[in-house]
Amino acid sequence: MRTALILLLLLALASVPGSVIPQEDVDAYAVTAWKSQHPDLTPYYESLQMFSVYDSFWFSAIYLLLMVSLVGCIIPRLRVYWRGIRAQPPRTPRNLARLPEWREEWVRATPQEALDEAMATLRRRRFRVRRLDGSIAAERGYLREAGNLVFHTAIIVVLVAFAYGKLFGYTGAVAVVEGSTFTNSSSQYDEFVPGSLFAPDRLDPFALDVDDFDADFLTNGPQAGQPVHFAAEVTYRTGFGQQEVVDEATVEVNHPLRIGDTDVYLVGHGYAPRVTVTDGAGDVAYSGPTIFLPENGNFRSFGVIKAPDASPVSLAFEGQFFPTYGFTMETGPFSTFPQPANPALSMLAYRGDLGLDSGESQSVYALDKSGLATFTKPDGRDFRVDLPLGETVELPEGAGSITFDGLDRFARFQVSQSPGDPVALLGVLLATTGLVASLYVRPQRIWVKTHGGSGATVVEVAGLDRGRSGGVAREIDRLTRQLNRPTETGGPS
């Protein structure tokens, strides 16, 4: 039992990094940003699997050891409890006066009548009663140990349900721009982490349109800039053809959307500037919204724009977006507020081979610069595109131009399917029931012994309260009141 408690504490402590450090299966963008901000710590964190805590070898080891320990704890206790619940209450001690709670009364009844009355009263109070020669032994509170066993068994149920969900479920993440549609297929996800036994046909068929995204921030006081509320207004479609069902919903933090067996959580948001890139021939090489990933609370965001079809050479841009642009000579450009009061882009422009034809997968949020060169100013410095909303910047040497056309928001969703959740919920309910029983059920033992003849009988009542709640004293007092009214409070010495 001590080992199980220590492992349970270790499991709780091991979960802390998963809450503090960004996790790849929850928010890969945040992981990328964290790595860029902490390049020295990143190799150590990766070696310890800190970006995937719940799949790490050390978390799994604690998890499995806890399972083994709980099973090894429960099985012996089940055998002991089975013998205990079938056993009769223990025999009456020889000297009841030595017990913590003891009463002695003279009653107008024969010993047989006194024992019969005590036996009936105790049974009404849900005691298990054993009749002995000249005494009664009674006991109750067997459900306390049952509650302990149910609680520990429920923990195993929760752990098994968690493992089952990991094996047969999946977790994915996707960013959807306002006015765009997400279709629930593995190729549509930005990150998709299936369980080792997950089957692709378990994906619920649906499409999700982000109609609007609303975000509010505090504008005054010391907490200015902190988010107050953000929500995505969505339309989702399930089924096909004549069976298609269209419905609307609002997805908020801690208020996920349930579609079939799939949960859609709102986990983040940001901005997607709409830009148009023209090449040296005057043709549009790229146009549309581009997601920029937030880097701080004021939504300074990082992003990459790629125009591989530009002529005569491919173009690319890498830099930052500022919702409310500010600038000082000491800090350079920065965002003063998360709302888009003065949006602007500040990026470096590149030309050359983007590396898209190498056959290797490439993130849309990263730029392979091995085959690229920056544009330069006449003085030899890098050419930087500083672009307010609605403005156009011409690239050097007639290579083209870039225009900041508008600004959209995007919502980031975590989509998951955990088939073990109903079983886990059942385990939690069982654990709560067992815990309540173990806390409030008090094992109690009461013995009744009689002395005397036919006219008046001395009745001794004593008890033990294993829970130390004082309840056995109240039961003894209640029992003595149920017996015949005493003739006197004592007897001859």
Side-chain angles (χ1 to χ4, degrees), residues 8 21 53 56 84 90 185 263 281 340 420 439 451:
L8 190 61
I21 301 171
V53 167
S56 64
S185 64
D263 292 311
L439 291 176
H451 311 278

Side-chain angles (χ1 to χ4, degrees), residues 228-239:
V228 177
H229 169 78
F230 54 92
E233 302 293 336
V234 301
T235 300
Y236 61 96
R237 301 182 300 279
T238 59

Side-chain angles (χ1 to χ4, degrees), residues 68-103:
V68 173
S69 178
L70 284 173
V71 172
C73 174
I74 290 173
I75 291 177
R77 292 178 65 179
L78 278 173
R79 291 198 297 262
V80 173
Y81 181 66
W82 178 249
R83 290 196 299 267
I85 201 171
R86 298 175 65 193
Q88 292 292 323
R91 297 184 64 85
T92 305
R94 181 175 301 176
N95 189 353
L96 294 180
R98 299 179 63 181
L99 295 178
E101 295 294 336
W102 175 74
R103 309 285 189 276

